Amino acid sequence: RSESYVTLALLDAANDRDPVVQEQVRKSILTLGNQQPDKVLSMCQDYLLKHPKLVVGHRVVILQTIELVVKSRIDDISYPKIKSVIQLASDEMTKSKEVVPEWQQAASNILVAVGNKYINDIMEEILGKFQPGVLPHFFVVQTLANLSDSNVYGMVPFLNAIMGTMLPMLGMTKQDNMKWVFSSALCRFSESILEYLANLDKAPDPTVRKDTFSSEIYSAYDILFNSWIQSRESKLRLTVAEALGSMSHLMAHDKLEEQLPKLLPTILGLYKKNSEHYIITKSLCQVLEASVNMGSRVLETQIDGLLLALHQQICSPVDFSNPPTVKNHNEVLRCFTILANTFPDRLMVFVLQRLENSNERNRMGSLAVLRHLINSSTSIMETKKLLILASIRQPLADHSNKVKKRVVQVISAMAHHGYLELEGGDLLVRFIIQHCALPDTYHRPPDPEEVTNEALRSMCDNTLHLFTTTVGRLTDVLWPMLLCYLTPNQYASATTPLCKSLILLANKKRAAQEASFIINFNAQGVDTHTYGHDVTDEPSPRLRVNAAFPFRCRGHGAPSLSLLNALSPNIHPKAEPLWENEIPKLLSYLEGLFKYTTVMYFLYRCIGVILQQCYNKELVRKQLQEILISTRHNDAIERTGVAMGIGLCASSHLNGTLEKLEEFGKSDAFRKASGIFGLLKDKNDVDVEKMKSTLILCYGYVALHAPEDQLLTRIDSDILQNISKNFNTKVKHIVTPLYILWFKSIIVVQKYSSYWLSSGQDHERERAVKTTAELLQFYLDNLSVKNLVTFHNLGALVGRLSPRCTDPNPEVRRAAIDCIYRLMYIQLRYEGFSLDYKDDSVEGLLDVPVFLKLTLFLPLHSLCLQQLSTLLFMLFDGLVDSQSNCSRASSVILNTLLKNRGAGLQDLVPEMLEVLHNRLQVIGEEQVKVAIGQSILILATQHLQTVVNTLVAYPLPYDSWSCEMWMALGADSTLALQIMEMIIEKLNVMVPYVDKKESMLRPGLTKVATSQPLAMTCALREMMLNGQSADAVAYVFPKLFSSLLVRLGSSVGVQLPKDLNSNSIISDCKTTNKMNVINFDVCGVAVEALRILLGRAQLDAVMKPLDQEGAWDKMKDPQQHTTGVTLLSRAMAKHAGPRLPAIVEGLCPSLCNIYECQRITVTAFFSELLNHHVVTELMILDMLMNNMMERITDTCGTVRMLAVRGLGNIAVGSPEKVNKYAKELLAAMSSGMEEKDDPGKLITLEAMSGMSKILLLENSVLASMGFLLLYGFTQRSIVMFCQENDEIRCASIMLLGNLSKFGSGEPVFKDQIHNVLVSLLLHLSDPNPQVVKACKYSMRICAPIVGSEQISAMFQNHLLEEKGLHYGEFINDLTKYLTVFSFLMSFFLSSGLVMLLQDPDPLVRVKAAEAMGHFH
């Protein structure tokens, strides 16, 4: 039957590699087992028997499935089947003498599951393998132990006999694993017996007594204790100890009493031998409990050792992230509870003595025990209250916050049990309040377990709140005691929690109208009940002061006001109505105030401004003294406000302020930590350091605001010297020189702020130029030249002064012309001319408009190369002149010089370009920027190769100024054409990347870009951005397009080199912005260049679809690169057809390139072109087809895949040409579907898609295809149904539908359709909608072949591509037709599901298994 066939298939698939599938198979077998448990169990049993060599993992899954069926349907399984399952599980469990845990545990679990109902049958089988004198299998003993856990009432009656058989075996056992399992079993047996005895009312045999097992238990104890517990194996020792603990409850009293002197020390000794203590403590606790229950007298002799060991354990740190340590801590406390019930006095003396030990861990452990005993042993501790109160005083003085935290916990426990009402309880309340006033922790502790002041303070705040709200008996203790803590200064920081508690207490007493609510503060020494606290001070003044400074002491203002309101009847009868009206308004106002520190920051600055305007020097000194003394130096914001206020004051009272600061630095406040007692650090050290910080900050703001004329004389003596005194010695030698250097740098900058010749102030420039003119005249008048020499400074001086000839100030212009005039004559004197010689050209400078004359004169003058180069570089400086007229003049003179003399400056070209690059960074004048571009063009006209090589070597990515330089080269169409052709030629021959091994630890090579081609691509991009390059771009468009497309292919997945700018000629290339490098993408540069090319060529129609479909991003993505190139090719074919022949011709050579990436890109481009009829119209079809045929045998699988795609595309693009290439096409598709070297089956996918396109054509080529060829295609397409790739599944299903048109008359083809019908039906619910559509299409086409008119009609009516399908109803209706149609179809369905269990997609395997689960 088909159900058997399905179950068998599921058993075969039970060990699927995917755990999700494995789980679904198990569920499906369980589903079938729930319907027919006997049959499924029989099949599982037969499967295991027929496959004795089945891998362990497979056997385990089947055994686990049997266990599930048994657990869920044990009441419905026949008794004979139960017997056979027991036999099977027993055999599987003991088949291997070696221990194979996973396998044998699975078999054991079956026996345990069956044993919950059929315990007698299980015991009959198990005891058959548990014979006297023979050591049993490990899992026989383990199964007995597990049975005693799962079926207590069924197993306990057997345990006496089992232990009787087991005892002789214990002596025979030599292996540790068998000792372990026997010890574990004895532990489980003992626990089962104890549970049985504890619930005798539910037990089947209520006559069972503990002494029934005492003899056997003691015999087993003897072996475990005297032999096995001494084992070297830690795991065994712990298991033996656990067993001894459980067994101690079942031992005879006299035997246990006899063994205690040896047993207890032995258990305690295990602490030293094992790192994990929980099991040991658990066992010890059980032994103690058993001893106490029987009233042991021997236990008293062991009490001292027990207490010491337990105390050592309780003192061990608890790791709350490690559960065993937490469990151990709790078990230790349980041991103390047991001992407290028997030896309360000795235990209490022991614990309280340990409190006197100042060791932190000892004290913390003792406090933990004390807290536990107070909470758990209330009646026993009742008589010890006064003793505990007296003893707790010593830990109150401990300095450790960890200890204090434990003390607070103990006090909290004591409060709930009536300790605080007794004499001495007030000290504990005071301790809590003291620690509510703790200061902040100034240095964060390195130990993460350390308790900070903040944490301890918060804990005390909460504890005080709990006293008030949850411990009702404390109300009369705390009221009015807490009032006396409001006034002393040492409790000021505790005001907020105190007020909150007092408000609650007052409201409670006021609401209950208790007489004790009213306190007469005027009475002499009002006693707060019995504790001796006098409330002699009315709290009202203190509370009002608090309200005046509401944000001090953790914001005590609002609570103080609220408490005033609550206490109003105690203050004055008339205060109550007034305060009830006004205080809520004040509280509302406080909520809207800024934080205290912010307010004080503002106020101190206000004081500084007021003192700035004050003329009374004595008043200023007094106020400064008050500010410095009252400042909260620990508050950084307040310190800053004080320093700023004093700085503002210093702007009018520098001398007085410096004197007061020096006086404050010498005051007693800074000497608290000095002297021999200062060696012991206390909190004053922190305050002193903060005060020093305030003082240093004050000096800083004084220097900032002080008058400049007074400051310079006081810097070294009064400011820096005092600052240095207050730095720590560790940093003093570093910081002080820095301050000196900083102050002196300011002085230098103030004195010499800029070069006066280019000053922004007219009078400064005028004076500077006139002074220069006078100096030059003096020099000329006194010049005496004995030998002919060169005036080397001429270039520098002319370069500096010539821009001033166009200065907006006429006086500057005239003086600058005079300077140039005198310089020219100085040069003539150096050349040998006499003092009275007059040169017409020089004299003309005074008559002709100076700027015109200057631009004509300078280039023609016989300047030597050194003078010329100096002049040029001075003019470069003039480009950034503060006066725009002068910077423009510099650019005009510069370009005139370059045109006339630039041809001889080849060696200076790289340096000049670098200077121009630097100047571009600071020039804001657009006209000057244009002139610089003209300068670069002039240089390129004269030295093209040098300019291009220099700019290409600039650091990548190009900064905006480098980009401007390249764009400038695009302004001249002729020059741009030369540069583009030069770059294209180099790009076509240069190595685009190199393969490098990135790491010795990582396999494979990484593609790393070579710098020069990358730089050239960037250069092309920038040049094409210039609109004037359009003519050049149009002329070389095919070459540019081809070159950039190939460059794009070479850039995909290529990384930047780590030494990107190692060959850069720019000196500061190392300063390239790292963020720019991070955002610099090798492939992105090529894509952007290609995009700009299309825009510059006015191909907007091409760019629009590419932008809409995200083609540019896809081209950059290695996974989607071919998709992006396909979109580009499609757009070019549709909108730029006439340009294609030249582009194709330019791309063809790259198909034979050694770089796979280039061949992939070009093949993808050609492949899509074949999808369009334009290639036939342009007569390039044959060229493309020939190239595709050649690429079919390419070494790269992706190229082969794209070639197959291209060949298939001809059926769409040029269907009339299919007959011409029919033979080649079919051969290509056939070889593509049989491709062996195709890991992702992508070639197969394209072959199937291409074949489908061809089959859709009704022409003579199909008539020539024989049936065998069609059948071969069918077989190969069916194999692809189970592929994980959605597209492959879709294509294979479509191909099957198209092939069925031509094979409907063949019986073999009909059988194939029947075999894949289940697969098609399952894929109707495929997660991919395209696969679903393909299924609908193929099933409609194949419907006539199925052989049923009803099914065919159903397929035709319901399986429409765009129509929705209710899958469940469709399958239900179809199943009815299939059942009526043929019993044979049931076989086809089941065989189809079995086939799908082999599908590589886990989801399909899961669904197939799920479907098989319903096949009943």
Side-chain angles (χ1 to χ4, degrees), residues 107-121:
S108 172
N109 290 344
I110 295 173
L111 294 173
V112 174
V114 174
N116 286 327
K117 184 174 183 182
Y118 298 97
I119 188 66
N120 293 331
D121 297 280

Side-chain angles (χ1 to χ4, degrees), residues 6-29 44 47-48 54-66 1397-1398 1405 1409 1412:
V6 167
T7 305
L8 190 60
L10 288 169
L11 291 172
D12 284 333
N15 197 36
D16 192 276
R17 62 184 178 276
D18 189 292
V20 178
V21 178
Q22 198 178 102
E23 182 60 29
Q24 184 56 57
V25 168
R26 192 179 297 148
K27 286 180 180 178
S28 293
I29 299 175
C44 292
Y47 192 90
L48 290 172
L54 205 62
V55 295
V56 169
H58 203 159
R59 299 189 83 86
V60 168
V61 174
I62 295 174
L63 289 169
Q64 289 172 343
T65 306
I66 293 173
L1397 279 177
Q1398 312 304 318
R1405 299 201 300 276
M1412 294 169 83

Side-chain angles (χ1 to χ4, degrees), residues 1348 1350-1351 1354 1372-1382:
S1348 166
Q1350 295 96 328
I1351 292 175
M1354 189 177 178
N1372 284 335
D1373 293 342
L1374 180 61
T1375 305
K1376 296 173 185 175
Y1377 288 129
L1378 289 173
T1379 306
V1380 173
F1381 175 53
S1382 172

Side-chain angles (χ1 to χ4, degrees), residues 871-1087:
L871 172 58
L872 286 171
F873 285 101
M874 280 298 168
L875 290 171
F876 288 147
D877 288 342
L879 294 173
V880 293
D881 196 280
S882 61
Q883 305 301 315
S884 58
N885 284 355
C886 298
S887 61
R888 292 172 194 166
S890 297
S891 66
V892 174
I893 298 169
L894 176 65
N895 286 343
T896 307
L897 277 170
L898 290 176
K899 282 179 183 176
N900 290 279
R901 301 290 299 276
L905 300 173
Q906 182 167 354
D907 292 341
L908 290 174
V909 169
E911 190 176 354
M912 286 192 289
L913 288 172
E914 182 175 355
V915 173
L916 288 173
H917 176 266
N918 292 334
R919 295 295 173 268
L920 275 172
Q921 299 177 31
V922 291
I923 290 173
E925 185 71 28
E926 193 61 36
Q927 189 173 334
V928 179
K929 285 188 177 182
V930 172
I932 289 179
Q934 192 64 30
S935 304
I936 296 166
L937 267 179
I938 294 168
L939 289 173
T941 305
Q942 297 164 341
H943 312 285
L944 180 59
Q945 192 69 54
T946 305
V947 169
V948 170
N949 290 345
T950 301
L951 293 181
V952 162
Y954 273 24
L956 293 173
Y958 289 148
D959 55 35
S960 60
W961 307 287
S962 301
C963 292
E964 286 183 33
M965 297 172 81
W966 275 111
M967 283 181 67
L969 292 177
D972 187 309
S973 185
T974 305
L975 189 65
L977 180 59
Q978 293 177 15
I979 296 172
M980 287 177 183
E981 288 182 331
M982 184 190 305
I983 290 177
I984 289 169
E985 184 179 346
K986 290 187 176 181
L987 279 178
N988 290 338
V989 297
M990 281 183 165
V991 175
Y993 60 83
V994 292
D995 291 317
K996 288 186 179 179
K997 190 165 183 65
E998 191 176 30
S999 168
M1000 297 300 292
L1001 302 175
R1002 297 179 185 173
L1005 299 173
T1006 302
K1007 292 180 181 179
V1008 178
T1010 48
S1011 298
Q1012 208 164 11
L1014 178 58
M1016 289 180 174
T1017 310
C1018 294
L1020 281 175
R1021 176 188 65 184
E1022 299 306 326
M1023 287 179 65
M1024 289 188 293
L1025 283 172
N1026 192 321
Q1028 294 172 299
S1029 67
D1031 292 342
V1033 168
Y1035 188 81
V1036 289
F1037 178 80
K1039 289 183 181 179
L1040 265 177
F1041 185 90
S1042 303
S1043 182
L1044 286 175
L1045 183 61
V1046 172
R1047 173 65 193 165
L1048 170 59
S1050 309
S1051 305
V1052 178
V1054 177
Q1055 295 183 4
L1056 287 171
K1058 292 180 180 177
D1059 52 349
L1060 177 60
N1061 293 313
S1062 58
N1063 298 322
S1064 172
I1065 64 169
I1066 299 295
S1067 57
D1068 62 344
C1069 68
K1070 292 183 180 178
T1071 63
T1072 302
N1073 192 325
K1074 290 184 179 179
M1075 285 304 296
N1076 289 342
V1077 174
I1078 291 171
N1079 297 325
F1080 190 46
D1081 177 23
V1082 178
C1083 190
V1085 171
V1087 168

Side-chain angles (χ1 to χ4, degrees), residues 265 516 574 754 798 808 810 896 1322 1345:
S516 60
K574 293 184 179 181
S754 64
V798 171
T896 307
L1322 277 176
I1345 306 173

Side-chain angles (χ1 to χ4, degrees), residues 548-567:
F549 301 94
F551 299 109
R552 284 186 181 175
C553 301
R554 297 194 283 152
H556 62 190
S560 295
L561 283 172
S562 297
L563 181 58
L564 272 176
N565 198 15
L567 289 175

